Amino acid sequence: MARVPRRRCKGLRPQRALRVVRLLHRIILLWFVIGSLPPVIGAPRSDEMVLIPAGEFFMGLPAGTDGFPDEQPQRIIYLSGFFMDRYEVTNDDYAAFVTATKHRVPENNKPAATLWSPTGPIPGIEDHPVVNVSWTDAEAYCRWAGKRLPTEAEWEKSARGTDGRHYPWGNEWDINLANSASYWAGRTVQFKSGADWDAFWVQGEGARLAKEKGLNGEVLTMPVGSFPTATSPYGLYDMAGNAAEWVEDWYNPNYYKNAPLTNPTGPERGAIKSMRGGSWLKPAISLRTSDRDWGTMDSRPSGTGFRCAKDAY
């Protein structure tokens, strides 16, 4: 610590001069501490990445559990170390990409529900996850940012850690820990069929909630990091709900049966791409860390966004 010049204490009594020196030391120390503090939840640094260390983890679920056939069998997978975005890519992040590259803006199939104008997102959603982006949009953004989309295996390890947990926060479902259909309904929502989905989101309670509380009367995203007690074991936010997330892999429901046990990257070819994490539209079962979803490369759903990854070495 730099010494305080004696001339600044001129005319002061020794005890008072000592107090001045100590006060200055504390001010300097406080300045250093404040400069190193992480951002507050209400103002996330969306470019912040977290190191996911190399090692093994449980991927998928054993047969006979509450999962689906495409999550089986459960395997012990080894992954090299990598970095993962702490937050989902926001509208503000994506606006910088659009400005720099003249890439197309996100659009909903229904123009009235689109959250962007030709010049940027509507006011007030800057820190919401970007949605209505395709896999190709997400891949282009990650390349522009000097990153890439995560693999399914990387995404799952980032969400559940090494103890095989069912949700990022643990093994017990809680409607208050993720932005999902259950959160908005105030009760656990499950859909057994497409008819159940329509009864909730098209004709029933969900449709009413979206109209009353949704952005443009439809989209129920929330600011990233809105559930600070529901982070993954590595401190990642919104790994369940808010926006589902595109990942790099082609989707194949039978891939786990013969996939490599070290750094799997998905099938070599395919017709549809994998998604992870569930969204504000999804029932409770779709927010599990092992749940798998998919979409065509050019689809732009209201519940799908992404986050980026990067090699650690």
Side-chain angles (χ1 to χ4, degrees):
M1 186 66 68
R3 297 178 64 184
V4 178
R6 292 181 181 275
R7 61 182 177 84
R8 292 187 180 179
C9 300
K10 185 177 180 180
L12 296 177
R13 295 179 180 178
Q15 290 183 343
R16 181 173 296 179
L18 181 60
R19 287 198 296 269
V20 170
V21 171
R22 289 174 175 171
L23 178 61
L24 288 171
H25 284 186
R26 290 172 182 172
I27 291 172
I28 294 171
L29 178 61
L30 181 61
W31 183 83
F32 278 111
V33 170
I34 291 175
S36 65
L37 287 175
V40 297
I41 297 304
R45 281 180 47 197
S46 52
D47 62 341
E48 184 180 351
M49 303 194 83
V50 175
L51 174 64
I52 311 300
E56 296 179 333
F57 79 106
F58 291 101
M59 186 171 185
L61 287 179
T65 58
D66 61 349
F68 295 109
D70 66 353
E71 302 170 44
Q72 301 168 12
Q74 186 177 75
R75 301 162 303 145
I76 298 176
I77 299 295
Y78 176 89
L79 293 180
S80 301
F82 61 96
F83 289 98
M84 190 79 152
D85 283 353
R86 189 182 294 276
Y87 300 97
E88 294 171 320
V89 172
T90 66
N91 286 296
D92 204 27
D93 300 327
Y94 203 79
F97 164 63
V98 169
T99 299
T101 65
K102 309 306 179 187
H103 195 87
R104 65 180 182 177
V105 301
E107 291 181 329
N108 193 293
N109 290 332
K110 296 192 301 183
T114 293
L115 303 180
W116 280 58
S117 72
T119 58
I122 62 176
I125 66 166
E126 292 83 2
D127 58 351
H128 287 229
V130 65
V131 294
N132 295 139
V133 289
S134 69
W135 184 93
T136 54
D137 294 331
E139 193 272 339
Y141 174 96
C142 290
R143 279 192 290 107
W144 170 78
K147 305 176 185 180
R148 59 175 173 79
L149 286 172
T151 65
E152 270 203 87
E154 288 173 338
W155 192 98
E156 187 166 326
K157 182 177 181 180
S158 299
R160 74 190 313 186
T162 59
D163 57 3
R165 59 184 57 191
H166 295 315
Y167 303 96
W169 56 82
N171 287 321
E172 299 302 320
W173 167 244
D174 189 326
I175 64 172
N176 297 308
L177 293 181
N179 180 6
S180 69
S182 301
Y183 174 81
W184 291 104
R187 57 181 174 79
T188 296
V189 172
Q190 301 284 23
F191 303 131
K192 295 181 180 180
S193 66
D196 287 347
W197 173 282
D198 288 346
F200 184 84
W201 283 118
V202 179
Q203 304 165 356
E205 185 179 4
R208 176 183 59 79
L209 289 165
K211 184 176 181 179
E212 292 177 356
K213 302 180 180 181
L215 305 170
N216 281 0
E218 178 156 328
V219 180
L220 289 164
T221 56
M222 298 173 67
V224 299
S226 290
F227 298 89
T229 62
T231 56
S232 80
Y234 300 106
L236 275 60
Y237 292 82
D238 298 309
M239 296 299 282
N242 213 9
E245 300 176 17
W246 290 112
V247 293
E248 177 63 32
D249 306 31
W250 295 106
Y251 174 81
N252 182 330
N254 299 310
Y255 179 65
Y256 286 13
K257 295 178 181 178
N258 300 299
L261 298 178
T262 298
N263 294 324
T265 56
E268 293 183 2
R269 61 185 64 87
I272 51 180
K273 286 290 186 177
S274 295
M275 297 176 186
R276 287 306 200 104
S279 75
W280 60 270
L281 285 157
K282 292 293 187 174
I285 196 170
S286 297
L287 273 69
R288 294 173 300 108
T289 53
S290 57
D291 186 71
R292 306 175 69 198
D293 204 350
W294 54 269
T296 58
M297 292 178 67
D298 59 352
S299 61
R300 305 169 82 177
S302 293
T304 303
F306 64 100
R307 75 180 75 214
C308 305
K310 185 166 64 174
D311 295 342
Y313 310 106

